[in-house]
Amino acid sequence: MAAPKFAFLLLNLISILPLLVSSFSVDRPTDRRILVLLDDLSLKSSHSLFFSSLKSRGFDLDFKLADDPAIAVKRYGQYMYDGLILLSPSTERFGGSLDVEGVLDFVDSGHDLIVAADANASDLIRNIAAECGVDFDEDPSAVVVDHSSYAVSETEGDHTLIAADDFIQSDVILGNKKIEAPVLFKGIGHSLNPANSMVLKALSASPSSYSTNPSSKLSSQPPSLYGTAISLVSVVQARNAARIMISGSLDMFSNRLFRAGVQKSGSLNKYEKSGNEQFITELSKWIFHERGHLKAVNLRHNKVGESEEPSMYRINDDLEFSVEIFEWSGSSWVPHVSKDVQVQFYMMSPYVLKTLSTNGKGLYHTSFKVPDVYGVFQFKVEYQKLGYTSLSLSKQIPVRPFKHNEYERFITTAFPYYGASFSMGNYVDVSTKYMIELQMAGFFIFSGVYLYNK
């Protein structure tokens, strides 16, 4: 019995080996294997353009119903997927062993997440979003309405199909090609938790928008969400470099809105195609680390004129510092070029703060003088910039004072004291004065003989 059981375990291990080998790594940070959980398998065809975009960029998508009892993201202590896409807003409970805690553990392990909600968003989806710093409108029947920035259509409608064009200003997150056409959005709005500084609005509502039930009359009380406080799509970059996208609309991923023409109310500009495809595609590139992922290597320091890294520095030494920073392009590492990378020479507080120069090939460098303070210092590089993964580098180095035989023979600032030693006779009688001066003369003669003769 033991042999067949061992063979069965070995077969299972071999079956998941390709999944483990292709997972997220420092050398190749782009996610490759993604689990997609759906409310209905018909979404595979109705949202096929979005999925085709991912596949064309080399992603391996594994589709499952959200309540499939066989769902598992981890096996033998290893994650089988690099990213998770939840297009299952109405799911009350995931199948298998996956739950809210499991999704959060997945993100805490450095993996990426896309969540799409709609007016039928369940408590499960709302709780996941809330843990990520996003709070959907508490009214389950409320959707975003905008009577000024709606998408013009043949029928007047209820102005719940919004033409949004207030994008986050970041070429790293949305690419350097401007999104000309508005994005069509139909769904629920959310606000950002002010206690979470890592969540950002990627697509904001206009000042005239508000969240309400369009089929009911407006009350005298203002809605809980209105104006630019409403976020339509938000993104999060965690401290562990995991990235999250949360959208209040499942329809914005659909083929119908990808291909739809759009005209924003009050505008004469008509677009044959909405900005949905470009917006979702570019944002997914950032989410799955095809853009904006940095790494730093070869942090070095040495005395000026030397190449070896010393074990310690002496106060007032001249030193050189350098580090190489690269950015992942989606297929390879390319030099990261920036003018705002700084290094601190730090002990309790920065004694030196220098902006690093770059050669345009990834090398950042500078030189400075060690401060006239001894102790245990650190070279620190703390680089945080919108859209990029943060860099936090440090290297410890002690700084010592001068040894007793490293000071100058005669210190200029001590000359007044040297002279004062000859004037002490002014305060004693003449015979004692001559005696002291004779002793001082003898001391200098002895010192000269001792120091300058073998």
Side-chain angles (χ1 to χ4, degrees):
M1 292 293 293
K5 187 179 292 186
F6 175 76
F8 177 74
L9 291 174
L10 183 62
L11 187 62
N12 278 344
L13 183 61
I14 292 174
S15 67
I16 68 166
L17 190 58
L19 309 184
L20 304 181
V21 170
S22 63
S23 63
F24 184 99
S25 70
V26 175
D27 293 328
R28 294 185 61 83
T30 303
D31 301 339
R32 285 301 165 201
R33 185 164 174 81
I34 299 174
L35 175 63
V36 184
L37 299 184
L38 308 172
D39 269 343
D40 191 325
L41 289 178
S42 63
L43 292 173
K44 288 179 64 177
S45 58
S46 62
H47 293 57
S48 61
L49 292 177
F50 169 58
F51 298 133
S52 297
S53 170
L54 293 174
K55 290 178 180 178
S56 68
R57 302 196 320 256
F59 295 98
D60 181 12
L61 306 184
D62 186 11
F63 295 94
K64 292 183 184 294
L65 286 173
D67 57 359
D68 188 335
I71 290 176
V73 295
K74 184 187 288 188
R75 186 179 295 176
Y76 303 123
Q78 297 288 334
Y79 282 104
M80 298 184 292
Y81 302 97
D82 305 310
L84 178 61
I85 299 178
L86 303 179
L87 302 187
S88 49
S90 62
T91 299
E92 295 289 346
R93 182 177 179 179
F94 294 125
S97 59
L98 189 63
D99 55 11
V100 173
E101 185 177 349
V103 173
L104 298 178
D105 286 343
F106 184 79
V107 174
D108 287 342
S109 299
H111 300 88
D112 303 318
L113 173 67
I114 292 179
V115 179
D118 61 13
N120 301 315
S122 64
D123 289 340
L124 175 68
I125 297 300
R126 290 173 180 270
N127 290 339
I128 291 174
E131 291 292 338
C132 298
V134 166
D135 298 315
F136 286 113
D137 195 327
E138 294 180 358
D139 184 352
S141 61
V143 296
V144 181
V145 178
D146 195 330
H147 299 301
S148 297
S149 297
Y150 60 89
V152 176
S153 61
E154 295 179 358
T155 58
E156 184 63 21
D158 52 11
H159 299 168
T160 56
L161 181 60
I162 296 171
D165 55 8
D166 188 2
F167 306 108
I168 187 172
Q169 300 302 306
S170 172
D171 290 348
V172 182
I173 295 177
L174 292 183
N176 52 20
K177 183 179 179 181
K178 184 180 179 181
I179 302 175
E180 299 289 348
V183 170
L184 294 173
F185 179 95
K186 187 179 182 67
I188 59 177
H190 58 265
S191 60
L192 308 187
N193 186 339
N196 190 334
S197 61
M198 299 180 194
V199 59
L200 303 167
K201 295 178 183 177
L203 180 63
S204 301
S206 75
S208 58
S209 63
Y210 59 96
S211 180
T212 188
N213 183 347
S215 61
S216 64
K217 294 183 178 180
L218 284 176
S219 66
S220 58
Q221 298 294 327
S224 57
L225 284 177
Y226 59 90
T228 54
I230 298 178
S231 179
L232 307 178
V233 179
S234 296
V235 294
V236 182
Q237 179 163 267
R239 290 187 178 91
N240 62 357
R243 291 172 175 173
I244 305 167
M245 170 186 172
I246 298 176
S247 168
S249 172
L250 177 61
D251 285 344
M252 73 182 301
F253 294 82
S254 67
N255 297 352
R256 180 174 65 87
L257 295 190
F258 269 32
R259 293 170 173 163
V262 59
Q263 180 183 2
K264 187 176 180 178
S265 62
S267 173
L268 299 177
N269 296 325
K270 293 183 179 180
Y271 300 91
E272 294 183 357
K273 186 178 178 182
S274 71
N276 288 48
E277 184 170 9
Q278 182 182 354
F279 175 75
I280 295 296
T281 299
E282 295 300 328
L283 193 54
S284 68
K285 288 180 180 180
W286 181 80
I287 292 292
F288 294 129
H289 293 265
E290 295 174 80
R291 191 167 51 229
H293 190 100
L294 302 179
K295 76 169 182 179
V297 296
N298 297 332
L299 189 153
R300 296 176 179 173
H301 59 87
N302 54 266
K303 294 180 182 179
V304 172
E306 299 181 6
S307 58
E308 295 297 323
E309 185 175 302
S311 59
M312 69 172 61
Y313 287 104
R314 189 186 66 183
I315 59 173
N316 296 330
D317 275 347
D318 293 310
L319 64 83
E320 296 173 326
F321 173 87
S322 65
V323 64
E324 294 179 64
I325 302 177
F326 296 94
E327 180 180 351
W328 182 251
S329 67
S331 58
S332 63
W333 291 103
V334 297
H336 174 68
V337 180
S338 180
K339 297 180 180 179
D340 54 3
V341 183
Q342 295 182 323
V343 62
Q344 303 176 40
F345 200 56
Y346 188 94
M347 185 177 67
M348 304 296 288
S349 62
Y351 280 76
V352 176
L353 179 62
K354 294 275 288 187
T355 299
L356 301 178
S357 303
T358 179
N359 63 353
K361 299 179 180 179
L363 178 66
Y364 291 80
H365 58 91
T366 190
S367 60
F368 58 88
K369 185 182 290 290
V370 176
D372 193 5
V373 179
Y374 58 88
V376 180
F377 283 80
Q378 284 184 324
F379 292 99
K380 293 182 70 172
V381 176
E382 300 284 350
Y383 187 61
Q384 297 179 349
K385 193 173 182 178
L386 178 63
Y388 289 103
T389 51
S390 59
L391 295 176
S392 182
L393 313 172
S394 64
K395 201 166 191 178
Q396 188 169 288
I397 188 75
V399 174
R400 65 171 177 83
F402 283 103
K403 295 178 181 178
H404 72 280
N405 61 348
E406 291 179 330
Y407 286 99
E408 296 179 9
R409 182 67 68 188
F410 293 102
I411 304 174
T412 305
T413 54
F415 282 170
Y417 300 97
Y418 301 153
S421 64
F422 289 96
S423 65
M424 66 179 69
N426 295 332
Y427 306 97
V428 296
D429 57 75
V430 176
S431 60
T432 306
K433 175 182 176 182
Y434 289 148
M435 181 68 70
I436 292 174
E437 290 180 350
L438 184 60
Q439 289 175 348
M440 291 300 299
F443 172 75
F444 275 96
I445 294 172
F446 170 78
S447 299
V449 173
Y450 183 84
L451 292 175
Y452 300 106
N453 291 275
K454 296 184 179 180

